Amino acid sequence: GQGMDEPLSATGFRQADAAGVFLSNVKFTHVFSSDLLRAKQTCAAILGKNKFCRDLEIKYDARLRERKYGVAEGRPLADLKAMAKDAGEQCPSFTPSGGETLDEVRERARDFFEFLCQLAVGLEQKEPGASSRSSGTPKEQFVFPWTNHCSEGEPSSEGSGSSKLLDANILVVSHGAYMRNWIGYFVSDLNCTLPANLTKSQLSSVSPNTGVSHFVVKLENGNLSKPEITCICLNQDSHL
């Protein structure tokens, strides 16, 4: 949750370093992180391993915080499950006293995503053609290291060329329950295209620590109301 702002454990730091190595050849244009300590440390570790973006400014945003669990924060997960059972509800949708509802979490995700879309449109309007298109940047800087089992949705015919056309390539570091709600918003509200081999249980599961999800968002003619979203992979954890 939000109330227990604990640092990463030793295992967490190893996982963050592994994620950094995994993403070391991806050139990001912007980096955003939750302002909770564990996310800050994860983000710093990822950038610390990056070959191109170590000095890129990290922008911290409270909208990326984990779901607030109220009276359940700082207590074992079993306590939360017991609270939900006593209330006659399922644990994922149960809201403890003082906590956030799923709708409130999704509203935060929606607000932040619309902010990212406005950012991307602003870049295109400011520099038509996108700076990455004319930079002559070697294609290996845009390589996304997805393994075969999750690469079905990636544009193979365009390959690195499509990466060069990106107006923004944004790294967002957040939390498991929050990201599950964000992905739910993508799927149910924005009709995100999913990989063909993705199961319902995978879609509803919480990402493992440092799990990586990759989405391509297209805004035709700067139309913020109808983003076209494709999920390339979800909760990728091969680096672990």
Side-chain angles (χ1 to χ4, degrees):
Q2 299 181 11
M4 304 294 291
D5 196 13
E6 295 292 311
L8 290 176
S9 65
T11 298
F13 277 112
R14 289 195 297 270
Q15 292 172 331
D17 284 343
V21 172
F22 183 65
L23 298 171
S24 61
N25 284 315
V26 182
K27 185 175 181 181
F28 298 104
T29 59
H30 302 78
V31 179
F32 293 92
S33 170
S34 157
D35 61 351
L36 297 178
L37 181 57
R38 57 194 185 274
K40 287 182 174 181
Q41 292 174 327
T42 300
C43 193
I46 291 173
L47 285 193
K49 299 289 185 182
N50 197 278
K51 295 179 180 179
F52 312 104
C53 309
R54 291 179 184 175
D55 297 324
L56 196 60
E57 179 188 5
I58 302 172
K59 295 185 178 180
Y60 302 107
D61 199 305
R63 289 174 293 185
L64 293 173
R65 288 180 181 179
E66 180 59 291
R67 182 185 180 190
K68 185 178 180 181
Y69 284 96
V71 296
E73 293 192 348
R75 298 168 64 175
L77 178 60
D79 286 7
L80 178 63
K81 291 181 178 179
M83 292 179 193
K85 184 177 180 180
D86 290 343
E89 297 182 34
Q90 296 295 317
C91 189
S93 58
F94 170 67
T95 303
S97 177
E100 281 183 296
T101 66
L102 294 183
D103 286 343
E104 288 171 333
V105 177
R106 185 170 294 200
E107 179 61 22
R108 277 201 284 128
R110 183 195 62 79
D111 187 56
F112 184 77
F113 177 65
E114 290 181 353
F115 158 76
L116 291 185
C117 291
Q118 290 169 348
L119 170 67
V121 169
L123 290 171
E124 176 65 15
Q125 292 173 347
K126 185 177 180 180
E127 296 183 40
S131 59
S132 62
R133 298 181 186 182
S134 57
S135 63
T137 305
K139 66 180 181 180
E140 58 268 19
Q141 291 192 8
F142 297 98
V143 170
F144 296 98
W146 319 131
T147 53
N148 291 334
H149 71 269
C150 68
S151 62
E152 289 184 13
E154 193 160 9
S156 57
S157 60
E158 296 172 285
S160 60
S162 64
S163 296
K164 285 186 180 181
L165 295 175
L166 292 174
D167 295 317
N169 190 26
I170 303 170
L171 172 66
V172 178
V173 179
S174 186
H175 307 269
Y178 176 89
M179 291 304 302
R180 178 169 60 181
N181 278 271
W182 188 348
I183 292 164
Y185 162 65
F186 274 2
V187 174
S188 63
D189 292 31
L190 300 180
N191 298 313
C192 173
T193 300
L194 299 170
N197 58 347
L198 194 69
T199 66
K200 286 186 177 181
S201 61
Q202 288 173 319
L203 182 61
S204 62
S205 64
V206 173
S207 173
N209 288 338
T210 70
V212 178
S213 296
H214 179 196
F215 298 90
V216 175
V217 181
K218 295 182 181 180
L219 298 163
E220 292 294 337
N221 301 315
N223 187 349
L224 293 169
S225 64
K226 292 185 178 181
E228 180 185 326
I229 306 173
T230 301
C231 176
I232 304 302
C233 66
L234 191 70
N235 300 336
Q236 161 75 268
D237 64 352
S238 63
H239 55 286
L240 301 177

